[in-house]
């Protein structure tokens, strides 16, 4: 009789609950879990199944920009050898500028006449300031040895390639929702410093002005032009990329056969080996999600 009374008056143990911030629950250890803990676990919920052909097509953008940088380096090399004079460089600058604005007029969806006029006005101020500062750039690194200049230039170009945004552009395109990222700005600054270092080793101020203008045109506006082409027509983007690769390989072969072999190997590695690796390692991807994961915002916070 006494035992029955004792059992009826003893408090029942509360049920364990999954709580994130509730402290210890009475009657349970702090690390206690029961059979309901893994009910909401999901495996490989966010894994994207990739197609080999699509990955190869997406990697064309990387090879395309590698071609652009390779062409800039080839022009730098020929200018340092004095194979290209200052007048030829200025003519090349004018041609590139005209082609760039022509492509923007054809492909940009939200490029109005006022916006184009604003671009031309800013670019005129930019060219004027660059011409005024050319004497300073010409004597900028006279006290530094050439070996240090070459090593620093190679390091900056490598940094530029690693941090470059291959899916976007270095300046805000007309109609683009987002501005360039912080890493993209660092990449652009590295390319500009490398251009100034190369220019400071040229024999005349006109050479300095022409080569810096050429470099800035390519590093600043080539990604914008390529971005507009890709948004306008992806097949045209592929044709342009293949043609650019062919031109780059032709110039590299004329410069040195070893450079040609290295560039060709790099294109094969980027466009074929890397996509194959990505598809293969996808088989080993294992991801688990559950109620213990951190909460993620489903919207962007803008100022």
């Amino acid at each position: 009789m006494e035992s029955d009374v004792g059992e009826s008056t003893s408090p029942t143990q509360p049920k364990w609950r999954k709580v994130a911030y509730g402290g210890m629950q009475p009657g349970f250890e702090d690390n206690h879990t029961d059979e309901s803990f893994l009910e909401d676990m999901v495996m490989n919920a966010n894994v994207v199944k990739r197609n080999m052909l699509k990955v190869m097509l997406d990697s064309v953008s990387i090879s395309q920009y590698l071609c652009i940088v390779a062409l800039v380096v080839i022009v730098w090399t020929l200018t340092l050898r004095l194979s290209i004079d200052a007048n030829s460089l200025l003519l090349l600058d004018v041609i590139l500028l005209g082609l760039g604005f022509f492509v923007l007029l054809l492909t940009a969806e939200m490029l109005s006449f006022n916006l184009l006029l604003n671009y031309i006005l800013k670019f005129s101020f930019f060219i004027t300031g660059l011409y005024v500062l050319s004497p300073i750039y010409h004597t900028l690194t006279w006290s530094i040895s050439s070996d240090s200049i070459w090593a620093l230039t190679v390091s900056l170009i490598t940094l530029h390639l690693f941090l470059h945004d291959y899916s976007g552009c270095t300046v805000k395109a007309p109609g683009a929702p987002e501005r360039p990222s912080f890493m993209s700005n660092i990449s652009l600054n590295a390319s500009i410093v490398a251009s100034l270092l190369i220019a400071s080793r040229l024999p005349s101020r006109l050479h300095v002005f022409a080569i810096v203008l050429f470099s800035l045109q390519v590093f600043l506006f080539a990604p914008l032009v390529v971005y507009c082409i890709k948004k306008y027509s992806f097949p045209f983007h592929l044709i342009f990329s293949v043609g650019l690769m062919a031109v780059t390989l032709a110039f590299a072969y004329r410069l040195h056969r070893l450079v040609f072999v290295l560039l060709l190997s790099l294109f094969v590695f980027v466009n074929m080996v890397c996509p194959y690796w990505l598809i293969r390692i996808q088989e080993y991807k294992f991801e688990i999600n559950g109620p213990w994961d951190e909460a993620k915002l489903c919207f962007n916070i803008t100022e």
Side-chain angles (χ1 to χ4, degrees), residues 137-142 149 195-202 208:
Y137 298 149
H138 186 221
T139 60
L140 188 64
T141 61
W142 276 6
I149 294 297
S195 304
L196 295 179
L197 292 177
I198 291 295
S200 65
R201 283 297 185 264
L202 294 177
V208 173

Side-chain angles (χ1 to χ4, degrees), residues 39 47 60 67 75 104 114 177-178 184 213 219 251 254 280:
E39 287 180 351
V47 175
V60 170
C67 289
V75 172
L104 285 179
N114 292 331
E178 297 181 357
S184 179
L213 180 59
F219 288 126
F251 277 104
R254 293 188 60 183
R280 285 300 303 271

Side-chain angles (χ1 to χ4, degrees), residues 69 73 76 152-162 191 194 219:
V69 175
V73 174
W76 285 354
L152 186 57
T153 302
V154 171
S155 301
L156 289 172
I157 290 297
T158 304
L159 179 66
H160 169 71
L161 291 174
F162 270 105
S191 65
F219 288 126

Side-chain angles (χ1 to χ4, degrees), residues 78-239:
L78 295 177
T79 306
L80 289 170
R81 293 179 179 178
L82 300 181
S83 300
I84 303 178
D85 58 7
N87 294 328
S88 300
L89 276 175
L90 289 175
L91 179 61
L92 179 61
D93 293 340
V94 173
I95 293 174
L96 288 177
L97 183 61
L99 287 176
F101 278 113
F102 178 72
V103 172
L104 285 179
L105 285 174
L106 289 179
T107 59
E109 299 177 355
M110 301 181 63
L111 185 63
S112 62
F113 176 76
N114 292 331
L115 183 59
L116 180 63
L117 188 63
N118 187 29
Y119 279 164
I120 295 175
L121 186 62
K122 289 182 178 179
F123 201 79
S124 301
F125 289 142
F126 172 75
I127 293 176
T128 303
L130 184 61
Y131 184 78
V132 171
L133 294 174
S134 294
I136 299 176
Y137 298 149
H138 186 221
T139 60
L140 188 64
T141 61
W142 276 6
S143 60
I144 304 176
S145 66
S146 296
D147 293 339
S148 300
I149 294 297
W150 310 142
L152 186 57
T153 302
V154 171
S155 301
L156 289 172
I157 290 297
T158 304
L159 179 66
H160 169 71
L161 291 174
F162 270 105
L163 298 182
H164 180 72
D165 183 10
Y166 293 93
S167 62
C169 54
T170 52
V171 294
K172 189 176 185 298
E178 297 181 357
R179 294 186 177 274
S181 62
F182 176 70
M183 289 299 179
S184 179
N185 292 329
I186 295 178
S187 172
L188 177 61
N189 289 332
S191 65
I192 292 174
V193 175
S195 304
L196 295 179
L197 292 177
I198 291 295
S200 65
R201 283 297 185 264
L202 294 177
S204 67
R205 297 175 181 177
L206 189 59
H207 271 95
V208 173
F209 169 71
I211 198 67
V212 174
L213 180 59
F214 166 77
S215 301
L216 294 184
Q217 277 183 352
V218 173
F219 288 126
L220 274 172
F221 299 111
L224 173 62
V225 173
V226 170
Y227 177 83
C228 292
I229 291 175
K230 187 176 181 180
K231 290 295 182 182
Y232 178 75
S233 173
F234 190 76
F236 183 58
H237 162 73
L238 292 179
I239 295 173

